[in-house]
């Protein structure tokens, strides 16, 4: 297994859920985010589902203020990716709830959340086949993330834009965005992710 899906990670999560509710919520978020970044959508979706069930079962202690919006954001990204492969209504509900949450966050703190909202909107347009809108929204998300210093989100937005254009057979444009993503990951210091992107790159 890869480093984010090891027996040790499973044991840590089980321990946290029994002894430290906040730590458990943070682990769910981090594992979902890392799995999504490395395109391990099976694990990513499991983390989202387990956390939702955990909350439904009554373990809804308040998480740190910063955690809810970013967890919702990541769940939205995962949901939109899954919706390219399934029509399960629960993922659409999560995706729509994520956009609604980001709309609220962006209204109060645009420098922190506008780019996240734009990226979710780009993913929604991608899913709906609204190609012109999707292309513009990806560019807006990339610019907003760059303007406000969110290099990691800028990198993800570039990668998603590359995936979008590749699926539309715009190979040269996709290559451009993949290159931007690779450079952003290296700037962030995420060398393992940059290497992963090179391996995933079809060019």
């Amino acid at each position: 297994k890869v480093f984010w899906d090891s027996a040790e990670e499973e044991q840590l999560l089980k321990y946290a859920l029994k002894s430290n509710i906040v730590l458990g919520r943070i682990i769910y978020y981090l594992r979902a985010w890392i799995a999504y970044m490395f395109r391990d959508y099976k694990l990513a979706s499991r983390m989202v589902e387990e956390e939702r069930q955990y909350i439904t079962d009554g373990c809804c202690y308040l998480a740190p203020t910063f955690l809810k919006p970013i967890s919702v954001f990541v769940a939205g990204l995962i949901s939109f990716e899954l919706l390219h492969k399934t029509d399960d209504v629960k993922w659409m509900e999560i995706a729509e709830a994520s956009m609604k949450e980001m709309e609220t966050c962006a209204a109060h703190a645009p420098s922190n959340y506008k780019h996240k909202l734009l990226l979710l909107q780009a993913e929604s347009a991608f899913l709906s086949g609204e190609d012109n809108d999707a292309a513009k929204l990806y560019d807006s998300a990339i610019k907003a993330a760059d303007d406000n210093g969110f290099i990691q989100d800028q990198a993800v937005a570039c990668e998603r834009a590359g995936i979008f254009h590749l699926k539309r057979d715009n190979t040269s444009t996709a290559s451009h965005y993949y290159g931007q993503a690779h450079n952003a990951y290296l700037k962030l210091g995420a060398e393992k992710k940059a290497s992963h992107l090179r391996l995933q790159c079809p060019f």
Side-chain angles (χ1 to χ4, degrees):
K1 290 186 175 182
V2 285
F3 69 92
W4 63 86
D5 189 19
S6 65
E8 289 80 7
E9 293 287 345
E10 291 290 336
Q11 291 173 0
L12 177 60
L13 178 57
K14 290 178 181 178
Y15 171 79
L17 294 176
K18 292 179 180 179
S19 61
N20 189 320
I21 302 300
V22 172
L23 178 59
R25 297 285 299 277
I26 291 173
I27 291 172
Y28 271 131
Y29 157 69
L30 290 174
R31 291 189 75 191
W33 187 217
I34 295 171
Y36 173 80
M37 291 280 288
F38 285 86
R39 305 189 190 185
D40 185 349
Y41 302 124
K42 182 178 179 180
L43 176 61
S45 63
R46 180 165 71 85
M47 291 297 99
V48 172
E49 289 180 305
E50 286 186 9
E51 183 180 21
R52 281 166 60 83
Q53 188 60 51
Y54 186 62
I55 294 171
T56 300
D57 288 344
C59 300
C60 55
Y61 292 86
L62 291 176
T65 304
F66 74 89
L67 187 59
K68 180 184 177 182
I70 59 176
S71 294
V72 170
F73 169 63
V74 171
L77 289 177
I78 293 167
S79 298
F80 277 120
E81 174 60 31
L82 294 173
L83 284 165
H84 285 283
K85 304 174 180 67
T86 178
D87 57 0
D88 191 331
V89 67
K90 73 181 174 186
W91 297 115
M92 181 56 72
E93 291 173 351
I94 295 172
E96 291 177 348
S98 179
M99 285 198 295
K100 185 175 181 180
E101 177 73 18
M102 286 305 102
E103 286 174 0
T104 301
C105 292
H108 290 91
S111 61
N112 289 334
Y113 297 107
K114 183 179 179 180
H115 66 281
K116 289 180 169 64
L117 173 60
L118 289 166
L119 181 53
L120 289 173
Q121 290 173 335
E123 292 290 292
S124 179
F126 178 11
L127 180 67
S128 300
E130 300 168 0
D131 291 358
N132 290 336
D133 288 342
K136 292 176 183 178
L137 286 163
Y138 281 121
D139 286 342
S140 295
I142 292 166
K143 184 178 186 305
D146 184 32
D147 288 346
N148 292 291
F150 287 89
I151 301 173
Q152 71 277 16
D153 292 338
Q154 179 188 4
V156 172
C158 288
E159 182 176 356
R160 294 304 303 178
I163 291 170
F164 161 72
H165 285 289
L166 185 61
K167 288 191 176 181
R168 296 297 182 265
D169 295 323
N170 299 323
T171 306
S172 61
T173 304
S175 178
H176 166 73
Y177 284 106
Y178 267 92
Q180 282 194 325
H182 183 262
N183 291 339
Y185 285 127
L186 287 178
K187 184 177 180 181
L188 184 64
E191 294 182 4
K192 187 176 289 290
K193 172 56 189 174
S195 297
H196 174 266
L197 184 63
R198 284 201 308 273
L199 293 174
Q200 296 291 321
C201 184
F203 312 112

